[in-house]
């Protein structure tokens, strides 16, 4: 039971890294309350976005469809890394086997988002005039 739990913990750590990157990159530019609110909404929409996208498969307008696909690609999809049932239930850990390939893809996905968020934050921070 240790290896499946390790895989679930790695996926949860990836989610936490994405949320921490969002919070750290916003903390320089916006107040604490707004940083907390945006981080909370990234968490909520990150878990709901997959369900929202799948519930509207075809949009009547091509612009709406393109916007949906663009948002689906740009926003982090945290549902793929949600293994709460594995962590909460000792019976599910033995029943579900995650492959190391899936865990590796999710870790790469998280790393790509963290790098993208920090690159965007560094670019916007370079334009900011910091005074003591």
């Amino acid at each position: 039971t240790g290896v499946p739990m390790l895989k679930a913990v790695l996926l949860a750590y990836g989610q936490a890294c994405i949320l921490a990157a969002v919070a750290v990159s916003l903390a320089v530019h916006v107040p604490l309350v707004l940083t907390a609110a945006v981080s909370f909404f990234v968490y909520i929409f990150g878990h709901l976005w997959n369900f929202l996208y799948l519930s509207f498969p075809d949009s009547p307008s091509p612009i709406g469809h393109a916007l949906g696909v663009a948002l689906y690609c740009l926003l982090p999809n945290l549902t793929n890394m949600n293994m709460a049932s594995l962590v909460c239930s000792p019976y599910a850990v033995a029943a579900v086997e995650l492959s190391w390939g899936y865990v590796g893809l999710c870790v790469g996905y998280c790393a790509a988002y963290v790098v993208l968020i920090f690159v965007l934050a560094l670019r916007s921070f370079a334009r900011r005039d910091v005074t003591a």
Side-chain angles (χ1 to χ4, degrees), residues 13-22 42 76 78 81 109-110 113-114 117:
Y13 181 71
Q15 288 182 25
C17 287
I18 289 175
L19 294 173
V22 169
V42 166
L78 300 177
M81 295 163 279
Y109 182 81
C110 293
Y113 263 102
V114 168
I117 290 168

Side-chain angles (χ1 to χ4, degrees), residues 27-130:
V28 175
H29 301 289
V30 297
L32 178 64
V33 174
L34 189 58
T35 300
V38 170
S39 299
F40 176 72
F41 284 120
V42 166
Y43 177 79
I44 294 297
F45 283 118
H47 282 285
L48 290 178
W49 186 243
N50 194 34
F51 299 115
L52 293 173
Y53 179 75
L54 293 176
S55 64
F56 300 108
D58 295 321
S59 177
S61 74
I63 295 173
H65 180 70
L67 181 64
V69 170
L71 286 175
Y72 184 75
C73 293
L74 291 177
L75 295 176
N77 189 353
L78 300 177
T79 306
N80 294 337
M81 295 163 279
N82 187 10
M83 299 298 152
S85 62
L86 293 178
V87 175
C88 296
S89 172
Y91 305 109
V93 171
V96 177
E97 180 61 33
L98 291 173
S99 70
W100 281 109
Y102 181 78
V103 173
L105 283 174
C106 286
V107 167
Y109 182 81
C110 293
Y113 263 102
V114 168
V115 167
L116 176 69
I117 290 168
F118 281 146
V119 165
L120 292 174
L122 285 172
R123 288 188 54 94
S124 67
F125 186 72
R127 287 188 234 126
R128 183 181 170 125
D129 185 28
V130 179

